[in-house]
Amino acid sequence: MDLKIKGRKALALGASRGLGLGIANALAAEGVEVLLCGRSADLLERNAAEIAAAHGVAAHHVSADLADGAFAERVAGHARAQLGHVDILVNNTGGPAPGKVTDMSADDLARQAQMMIFGIIDLTNRLLPAMREKGWGRVLTVASSGVVQPIPNLAMSNTLRSALVGWNKSLSNEIAADGVTCNLLVPGRIHTARVDQLDEAAANRTGKTLEEVRAGSKATIPAGRYGRVEEFADMATFLCSDRAGYTTGSIVRCDGGAIKGV
Ligand SMILES: NC(=O)c1ccc[n+]([C@@H]2O[C@H](COP(=O)([O-])OP(=O)(O)OC[C@H]3O[C@@H](n4cnc5c(N)ncnc54)[C@H](OP(=O)(O)O)[C@@H]3O)[C@@H](O)[C@H]2O)c1
């Protein structure tokens, strides 16, 4: 299937590793010019060079911290300078530390909300006008399976990411008629460095071995395994493609069947 996005321009956040990097790679494989964003300048520079060499597209990078209130202004400025305009925005952030609801302080919530919600809403608002004017755009936001089925001991993630559900659906109502879609893609245990960190934290907390924690986690997933970054990135790329033009305001799962509800 030709996804019909060759020559489009994409800005991918959280693209120094993991899911964001996987999506940037998959978009570039379809002929999309990419701008990678994250904090780790060295990793981003290396990733951009590898993507350009592997896929024969222009690949740029910008280092910026979502904790910075000026994040959106800075990144939107770089995007205009390096890409000209953005057709595809991939909103992907870091995740919070594990913890319980009763452990969350108001200060922690506010700080984390800047990184997981406010920065990407601000950035999206800055890039949307050009997409709407052109009559084509894709906003894909990576959330978590926890917005459908809250994940034990990831209270901050469950709480804050649920705000993105309301935001995404409200936004879709405002922009769909202009040819711009917005969707949430929710991962459930895709094997990345973050999943390794969470499993190690669980092992330390429970006294189990890492292998026992992993086996227990995989046993809750009907597919019986963790997902591969490429499997997640392929779904993301389809949602960012021309072919997915009639899918908007949705929560799409990529979870090996892990979410128990319908
Ligand atoms: N993997 C899964 O199965 C799964 C499941 C549920 C939810 N999620 C969520 O999906 C997101 C991506 O997952 P992942 O596994 O790829 O996570 P990851 O390996 O931790 O990658 C997170 C990315 O976000 C960037 N980032 C972190 N903090 C940032 C900040 N303050 N400013 C700018 N960029 C920042 C990181 O780059 P720098 O360090 O260079 O800034 C990195 O590129 C995370 O939020 C995660 O919680 C993942």
Side-chain angles (χ1 to χ4, degrees):
M1 182 187 281
D2 177 4
L3 296 182
K4 298 185 178 175
I5 45 172
K6 188 170 182 188
R8 294 281 183 193
K9 295 163 188 271
L11 166 58
L13 306 188
S16 59
R17 59 175 180 271
L19 302 182
L21 175 57
I23 295 171
N25 251 305
L27 287 170
E30 295 300 318
V32 174
E33 182 175 348
V34 291
L35 170 57
L36 315 184
C37 182
R39 291 167 303 179
S40 313
D42 291 356
L43 282 179
L44 293 167
E45 185 177 1
R46 194 184 72 197
N47 295 340
E50 287 177 0
I51 285 175
H55 305 298
V57 295
H60 321 269
H61 60 96
V62 55
S63 172
D65 190 342
L66 276 154
D68 178 359
F71 171 87
E73 186 182 6
R74 173 175 159 73
V75 174
H78 270 269
R80 282 187 205 103
Q82 297 189 74
L83 297 177
H85 69 278
V86 174
D87 299 303
I88 298 167
L89 170 61
V90 178
N91 287 320
N92 176 51
T93 70
K100 298 184 186 313
V101 176
T102 44
D103 295 334
M104 297 189 305
S105 73
D107 281 351
D108 288 346
L109 273 169
R111 210 172 16 252
Q112 203 65 49
Q114 172 61 38
M115 293 190 275
M116 293 170 62
I117 304 174
F118 303 152
I120 60 176
I121 291 179
D122 189 359
L123 180 61
T124 304
N125 284 340
R126 287 170 192 268
L127 299 178
L128 270 176
M131 293 183 190
R132 300 176 80 177
E133 206 172 295
K134 287 176 183 295
W136 199 96
R138 299 285 180 265
V139 179
L140 182 73
T141 300
V142 175
S144 166
S145 61
V147 303
V148 185
Q149 180 181 310
I151 303 168
N153 210 47
L154 274 178
M156 185 81 81
S157 172
N158 299 335
T159 303
L160 293 179
R161 286 188 163 123
S162 294
L164 295 173
V165 174
W167 168 71
N168 181 68
K169 184 63 185 164
S170 305
L171 180 61
S172 71
N173 293 329
E174 295 180 19
I175 62 176
D178 297 329
V180 184
T181 70
C182 58
N183 292 288
L184 292 187
L185 181 55
V186 302
R189 290 275 145 169
I190 311 297
H191 195 186
T192 66
R194 172 162 168 86
V195 164
D196 283 340
Q197 283 165 8
L198 291 172
D199 284 347
E200 278 160 24
N204 291 335
R205 205 172 53 246
T206 59
K208 293 181 181 168
T209 65
L210 188 55
E211 289 64 36
E212 285 169 339
V213 168
R214 282 193 181 133
S217 182
K218 288 175 185 174
T220 69
I221 303 171
R225 63 176 177 87
Y226 289 167
R228 292 187 296 275
V229 169
E230 293 76 16
E231 293 174 304
F232 185 82
D234 283 347
M235 179 57 83
T237 300
F238 178 72
L239 291 170
C240 291
S241 77
D242 194 58
R243 299 284 186 168
Y246 202 57
T247 299
T248 192
S250 292
I251 300 175
V252 177
R253 305 169 179 188
C254 184
D255 70 340
I259 295 170
K260 300 288 178 257
V262 291

